[in-house]
Amino acid sequence: MPERRARPVPAAKGNRKPVWRRAVAPAAPPSADPPVSGPAAADPRPAEPDSVVQAALYRDGVRVATPASLADTFRELRDQRDGMAWIGLARPTEGEILSLAAEFDLHPLAVEDAMEAHQRPKLERYGDTLFVVLRAARYLDASEEVDFGELHVFLGPDFLITVRHGAAPDLSAVRRRMEETPELLKLGPEAVLYAILDAVVDGYAPVVSGVQNDIDEIETEVFGGDPWVSRRIYELSREMVEFQRATRPLVSMLHSLMAGFAKYGTDEELQRYLRDVADHVTHTSERVDGFRQALTDILTVNATLVTQQQNAEMRALAEAGFEQNEEIKKISSWAAILFAPTLVGTIYGMNFTHMPELHWVLGYPFAIALMAVVCTSLYVIFKRRDWL
């Protein structure tokens, strides 16, 4: 971590809650887009306030200036000794990022990543500057979807810059909590980084809860025979893939930070906090892995149930066809039996002059006997073939 100038935080006494725990206590529900406060809110110039959410300078954990623009922030930081600049941007323009890069000597590769966004979580060090990419998430109850945001953090000896792409996370709550605990904020930019990590990780908890509810509903729909459940399983599986990409790299990132405790002289209270955050991330990552496996199993079960239903329908159709064939056999058999006397009667009903049997004394009995023999023969044949 960059070298700190602040003194360590005193240990908590008695029943008093430790400084760090008071700083990261749950805050009010975040808003989608934090409002700009201070002089920046009254600045009539529209160029920078659209993307500069807030910029402030701190000394010994107390805000000493709230510049209205990036240029004012740079100027104030040069004038303030032993100060720290905390600049928050939301969807900044290329010019704003380039001006920050020139002022704080940011590495071109990190600047390129911050401008392009769509990066995987990672932690990279460029000299005295630490570049961190985080993927935040929030659960949208109305649409039952997981919305992902991207946050880039530049951390230097006397500055911290956040570049937010998306609605999450709400860093205004982090700023308020840190400002309410100057003992912690005086530890420098690394304390702010850890608070941001905590906010991102805490934001995963509602997502995990929402996804668990979705999976419970999906299980009910699967066994209820909902025809659209396969689509919902597929969509939630894709969201879990994104969620896994956000949480799994974060585990190794936090372990990398913990590995540098001794090298960069990280405060003991911050070390405890980072280990706690790492435990939460590990737990969340395991839950996400479990969700993916559960969705895979549910999809398999749903496919089995659909196959069974299709087989049952095919069996019913086959049985119906078989019964229909049996009826057709009976109808065809009786039609053939009745066709024989009809054929004989039709032939002798033509009344031609030269028909020997017409003047034969035994002609009529012969015709009746012929009809009986043919009908009986056909009946016996169809009966043996189980057509009747």
Side-chain angles (χ1 to χ4, degrees):
M1 286 294 171
E3 183 180 356
R4 302 187 308 278
R5 296 178 291 272
R7 299 188 302 274
V9 180
K13 297 180 180 180
N15 295 327
R16 183 184 178 188
K17 196 174 183 179
V19 171
W20 181 258
R21 294 304 177 188
R22 287 188 283 113
V24 298
S31 58
D33 292 302
V36 180
S37 60
D43 193 344
R45 293 170 296 181
E48 291 179 347
D50 288 341
S51 50
V52 180
V53 176
Q54 194 172 90
L57 269 69
Y58 301 88
R59 182 190 297 141
D60 293 332
V62 179
R63 185 187 293 213
V64 295
T66 307
S69 65
L70 289 179
D72 295 340
T73 303
F74 301 154
R75 183 169 54 254
E76 293 281 353
L77 184 60
R78 297 190 194 102
D79 296 338
Q80 295 286 344
R81 292 186 177 183
D82 297 333
M84 179 191 75
W86 183 353
I87 303 172
L89 300 96
R91 302 180 183 90
T93 63
E94 181 177 346
E96 289 169 340
I97 295 182
L98 292 178
S99 65
L100 289 170
E103 179 66 25
F104 296 107
D105 193 25
L106 305 180
H107 196 277
L109 293 178
V111 173
E112 181 181 356
D113 290 342
M115 287 191 296
E116 293 182 357
H118 303 292
Q119 304 294 321
R120 297 195 66 180
K122 62 181 179 179
L123 184 149
E124 295 180 353
R125 182 177 295 279
Y126 300 98
D128 292 335
T129 303
L130 195 65
F131 177 62
V132 180
V133 178
L134 303 172
R135 294 291 305 277
R138 60 174 183 165
Y139 186 79
L140 304 179
D141 291 322
S143 57
E144 295 184 343
E145 295 178 350
V146 181
D147 178 48
F148 295 94
E150 190 168 333
L151 179 66
H152 298 189
V153 181
F154 294 92
L155 183 73
D158 58 353
F159 68 89
L160 183 133
I161 303 169
T162 60
V163 180
R164 181 163 54 89
H165 299 274
D170 176 32
L171 297 182
S172 62
V174 177
R175 190 185 292 269
R176 286 194 302 269
R177 294 200 297 268
M178 294 295 289
E179 290 180 349
E180 291 172 358
T181 313
E183 301 97 322
L184 177 63
L185 188 55
K186 70 168 62 174
L187 292 178
E190 59 193 39
V192 180
L193 174 61
Y194 294 154
I196 292 174
L197 287 170
D198 177 74
V200 172
V201 174
D202 284 351
Y204 293 154
V207 178
V208 171
S209 178
V211 171
Q212 182 64 64
N213 291 335
D214 288 345
I215 291 178
D216 294 340
E217 292 177 359
I218 286 174
E219 289 178 344
T220 303
E221 293 173 357
V222 165
F223 291 101
D226 189 338
W228 298 102
V229 68
S230 298
R231 180 181 182 89
R232 189 176 182 186
I233 296 173
Y234 174 73
E235 292 175 349
L236 189 58
S237 298
R238 291 186 58 185
E239 292 176 354
M240 288 304 96
V241 170
E242 290 296 323
F243 202 6
Q244 200 172 46
R245 291 175 180 172
T247 57
R248 182 172 291 179
L250 194 54
V251 176
S252 60
M253 288 170 51
L254 292 172
H255 283 89
S256 297
L257 287 175
M258 290 188 292
F261 283 163
K263 180 178 180 180
Y264 298 102
T266 305
D267 181 78
E268 292 183 1
E269 187 70 16
L270 297 183
Q271 293 183 27
R272 298 188 191 100
Y273 165 69
L274 185 60
R275 283 192 288 267
D276 182 65
V277 174
D279 291 340
H280 291 171
V281 172
T282 301
H283 177 70
T284 301
S285 181
E286 292 174 352
R287 290 292 302 276
V288 175
D289 292 342
F291 288 157
R292 285 202 63 187
Q293 183 62 43
L295 289 170
T296 301
D297 295 341
I298 292 173
L299 189 60
T300 302
V301 171
N302 182 65
T304 302
L305 293 176
V306 170
T307 302
Q308 291 178 350
Q309 183 179 1
Q310 291 176 346
N311 291 340
E313 293 175 353
M314 293 297 295
R315 189 182 305 111
L317 290 174
E319 292 176 355
F322 177 78
E323 294 177 357
Q324 186 177 11
N325 289 337
E326 292 299 315
E327 296 297 327
I328 292 175
K329 287 179 180 179
K330 293 179 181 180
I331 295 173
S332 301
S333 299
W334 286 113
I337 292 173
L338 295 177
F339 176 74
T342 303
L343 176 63
V344 175
T346 302
I347 293 175
Y348 287 100
M350 290 186 292
N351 296 323
F352 286 109
T353 302
H354 301 286
M355 291 184 70
E357 293 83 0
L358 293 179
H359 303 284
W360 185 30
V361 176
L362 299 177
Y364 176 76
F366 174 79
I368 296 298
L370 179 62
M371 294 179 189
V373 171
V374 173
C375 291
T376 302
S377 301
L378 290 176
Y379 179 82
V380 172
I381 293 173
F382 291 139
K383 192 66 177 179
R384 289 180 176 179
R385 296 185 178 182
D386 294 329
W387 281 38
L388 291 175

